[in-house]
Amino acid sequence: MSNVTLNVQGMSCGHCVKAIEGSVGQLDGINEVKVNLSEAQVEIVYNESKVSLEKVKETIEDQGYEVE
Amino acid sequence: MSNVTLNVQGMSCGHCVKAIEGSVGQLDGINEVKVNLSEAQVEIVYNESKVSLEKVKETIEDQGYEVE
């Protein structure tokens, strides 16, 4: 299990939190996803053998946010 | 038909626009609702005999925003 914190731009409100936590949380291999609005960060705990970090980033970008 | 522009705090992103336009737009008597994010305003065209301004304000507040 790996723990990564991504810097994500454009998250501004509770809807954004739900959009990201919901979509990333649905991916197979994600054990935990937590958005920190004030820090503009998304923290994930995931299983590297099931899901790639690239896939997580794509999922966040698909919701309309920019992963740095 | 009346036209009113409300000042609304807390709207920050496209999800907020959808939440407000969707919920207010569903009220009977609302002909038009348009959110202007950069101006923090919600403009409505409504039929006063069908819906009160008070009801519109309550609906916006129920979505988690503050009507000034």
Side-chain angles (χ1 to χ4, degrees):
Chain A
M1 211 60 69
S2 300
N3 189 321
V4 166
T5 299
L6 300 167
N7 292 307
V8 179
Q9 296 306 310
M11 306 182 299
S12 58
C13 72
H15 296 111
C16 299
V17 173
K18 278 188 191 173
I20 290 177
E21 290 186 347
S23 60
V24 173
Q26 279 185 337
L27 296 174
D28 195 34
I30 297 288
N31 273 53
E32 212 176 308
V33 49
K34 194 159 170 35
V35 172
N36 184 325
L37 271 187
S38 56
E39 303 286 336
Q41 289 181 333
V42 178
E43 186 179 358
I44 56 168
V45 180
Y46 68 111
N47 185 332
E48 288 183 279
S49 68
K50 286 193 174 176
V51 67
S52 66
L53 192 54
E54 204 46 50
K55 176 69 180 170
V56 173
K57 289 180 180 177
E58 275 173 24
T59 302
I60 293 172
E61 285 168 351
D62 285 348
Q63 293 294 320
Y65 305 96
E66 190 187 341
V67 182
E68 289 184 339
Chain B
M1 211 60 68
S2 301
N3 189 322
V4 165
T5 299
L6 300 166
N7 292 307
V8 179
Q9 296 306 309
M11 306 182 299
S12 57
C13 72
H15 296 110
C16 299
V17 173
K18 279 189 191 173
I20 290 178
E21 291 185 346
S23 59
V24 173
Q26 279 185 336
L27 296 174
D28 195 34
I30 297 289
N31 272 54
E32 211 176 309
V33 50
K34 193 159 172 37
V35 171
N36 185 325
L37 270 188
S38 56
E39 303 287 335
Q41 290 181 333
V42 178
E43 185 179 358
I44 57 168
V45 180
Y46 68 111
N47 185 333
E48 287 183 280
S49 68
K50 287 192 174 178
V51 65
S52 66
L53 192 53
E54 202 48 48
K55 177 69 181 170
V56 173
K57 289 180 180 177
E58 275 173 21
T59 301
I60 294 172
E61 286 168 349
D62 284 349
Q63 293 293 321
Y65 304 95
E66 190 186 340
V67 183
E68 290 184 338

